[in-house]
Amino acid sequence: MSAVIEIAGLHKTFHTLRQGRRTAVDGFDLLVESGQVHGFLGPNGSGKTTTLRALLGLVRADGGRMSVLGAESPGRLPEVAGRVGAIVESPQFFANFTARRTLRLLALAGGVPTTRVDAVLEQVGLRDRGDERVRGYSLGMKQRLAVASALLKNPELLILDEPANGLDPAGIREMRDLMRSLAAAGVTVLLSSHILAEIQLICDHVTIISRGRRVAHGRVDEVLAGFDQHEWRVGVAEPERAAELLARAGVSVTVHPDHLLVAGVDDAEVISRTLGEQGLWVRELVPLRPDLESVFLELTGDAPHPALPRQVDGTAPDDMVIDLDVRESREVGA
Ligand SMILES: Nc1ncnc2c1ncn2[C@@H]1O[C@H](COP(=O)(O)OP(=O)(O)OP(=O)(O)O)[C@@H](O)[C@H]1O
């Protein structure tokens, strides 16, 4: 797979009269490879928009190296601009224009054949609504129109800042289907979001940013697996006795009022056999898998995560890296 976006050590500090110096991006790295639907995830104010703006030459970086489709950014961006569609500042459309007219105008302004208009309306699922005025569009339809405008030049790379912002679950599902169909058509997608469920639903890869620095990156499932503590919720009669039996078998167990919490067990059979052999029958055995939300909170919040050391001793999946040095430097500075 080839690199479509590469950012290494990006720095950007803003100087404002009221707030003084503010470091928005602090040595950030990003690698997006061809064919990925890559989520760029971080809390509000963590530096996502600044990174995308710097990558696209909309704001000047203070340091670091960036390239888009192999061309160094911002110097050689014009060479590849025709192959990149981006929506970083949310576009405003004339409410009285129809989507078709809007796209025709944008095509004419961008030197794109107007025959592309029908193709992109079809691609974003607005073909049947293309002759309606934008004022009657739902937020999801407006977002899709924005994506359609970025698709006019048939880009190989699509960069979207918060494309699912404000969408309801149905809108997010539509956006996910759209991103998947684009990926299937060979478009590489980078989309930013501060909403975890969105990234988990839409993206196959993720880079998590916190306070201007990358704190995790890799395949979504592998980032999650790296945080899997192999925990189980166990429902059983006589929980105290069950806990004792499990502890004696070397299993880490915590007693809660109506269940046990067992950690560090790969195979559920270990639990059911240990208890069953002593005449205790398990009535509930549920694996507790981490979701991106808990991973995100661990990485961007302050709580240390017991699973983190596993990431640096080589047991983490190859493709997933937790940038521990980032946590350390952040914690030192916190
Ligand atoms: N033009 C600017 N002038 C001064 N400070 C800025 C400017 N743009 C961004 N910042 C600051 O840089 C930091 C990062 O902002 P940025 O917009 O990149 O974050 P973000 O992750 O995109 O946030 P959000 O999810 O809220 O859009 C914030 O502290 C923000 O206030």
Side-chain angles (χ1 to χ4, degrees):
M1 261 193 198
S2 59
V4 172
I5 296 176
E6 270 183 297
I7 297 179
L10 179 67
H11 273 275
K12 176 66 191 171
T13 299
F14 289 104
H15 301 267
T16 60
L17 279 178
R18 279 184 58 189
Q19 285 152 340
R21 260 170 66 94
R22 172 166 286 175
T23 298
V25 183
D26 191 10
F28 178 71
D29 301 322
L30 174 70
L31 174 65
V32 177
E33 290 183 300
S34 169
Q36 292 180 352
V37 178
H38 197 112
F40 183 18
L41 181 65
N44 290 122
S46 54
K48 302 180 296 295
T49 303
T50 304
T51 299
L52 297 181
R53 295 186 73 218
L55 181 68
L56 296 167
L58 300 171
V59 68
R60 197 158 50 84
D62 300 322
R65 283 181 294 106
M66 297 176 286
S67 70
V68 178
L69 293 167
E72 183 204 323
S73 173
R76 290 180 50 212
L77 263 187
E79 293 170 27
V80 294
R83 297 157 61 197
V84 182
I87 307 170
V88 173
E89 266 92 36
S90 56
Q92 300 295 319
F93 299 115
F94 288 117
N96 276 331
F97 284 13
T98 65
R100 194 182 300 279
R101 187 170 174 204
T102 305
L103 292 171
R104 260 187 78 81
L105 283 175
L106 289 171
L108 288 169
V112 173
T114 50
T115 47
R116 282 288 300 154
V117 171
D118 278 330
V120 297
L121 282 171
E122 172 83 41
Q123 231 174 333
V124 303
L126 284 178
R127 200 191 52 177
D128 297 337
R129 313 284 301 265
D131 293 317
E132 292 175 28
R133 287 175 201 263
V134 172
R135 74 161 71 247
Y137 272 20
S138 67
L139 182 62
M141 290 165 75
K142 285 183 191 151
Q143 305 277 49
R144 280 188 278 153
L145 176 57
V147 175
S149 69
L151 289 174
L152 275 172
K153 53 186 167 181
N154 206 3
E156 287 163 50
L157 168 65
L158 189 60
I159 299 175
L160 305 170
D161 195 15
E162 305 266 3
N165 212 358
L167 295 187
D168 58 14
I172 290 179
R173 257 197 312 278
E174 284 172 15
M175 188 59 75
R176 176 193 60 189
D177 294 344
L178 174 56
M179 295 305 138
R180 293 213 172 136
S181 69
L182 291 174
V187 182
T188 303
V189 181
L190 173 66
L191 62 91
S192 81
S193 176
H194 61 276
I195 303 169
L196 315 134
E198 227 171 75
I199 295 284
Q200 201 161 356
L201 272 175
I202 298 175
C203 302
D204 46 57
H205 285 73
V206 66
T207 293
I208 303 182
I209 185 172
S210 173
R211 303 180 199 195
R213 291 180 168 209
R214 184 175 75 178
V215 290
H217 65 108
R219 287 179 54 99
V220 171
D221 52 354
E222 290 176 353
V223 168
L224 294 177
F227 279 78
D228 192 346
Q229 295 183 68
H230 306 279
E231 286 182 323
W232 304 83
R233 182 188 160 101
V234 183
V236 62
E238 299 183 60
E240 295 289 351
R241 190 173 146 235
E244 208 182 299
L245 290 171
L246 287 166
R248 229 184 281 153
V251 170
S252 157
V253 55
T254 325
V255 184
H256 292 261
D258 59 345
H259 68 279
L260 302 177
L261 197 62
V262 169
V265 172
D266 291 338
D267 187 349
E269 199 186 308
V270 171
I271 300 169
S272 56
R273 192 168 15 86
T274 305
L275 299 178
E277 278 171 2
Q278 300 300 321
L280 276 177
W281 303 113
V282 171
R283 59 170 177 249
E284 183 191 11
L285 190 51
V286 183
L288 302 178
R289 298 285 175 253
D291 58 11
L292 209 46
E293 175 126 20
S294 53
V295 169
F296 180 76
L297 285 174
E298 293 292 352
L299 288 169
T300 62
D302 288 321
H305 196 291
L308 270 173
R310 292 194 294 124
Q311 318 312 324
V312 290
D313 68 9
T315 56
D318 289 347
D319 200 21
M320 191 276 292
V321 182
I322 304 296
D323 303 304
L324 196 64
D325 55 327
V326 168
R327 286 178 59 85
E328 282 168 359
S329 49
R330 179 169 63 73
E331 282 161 11
V332 168

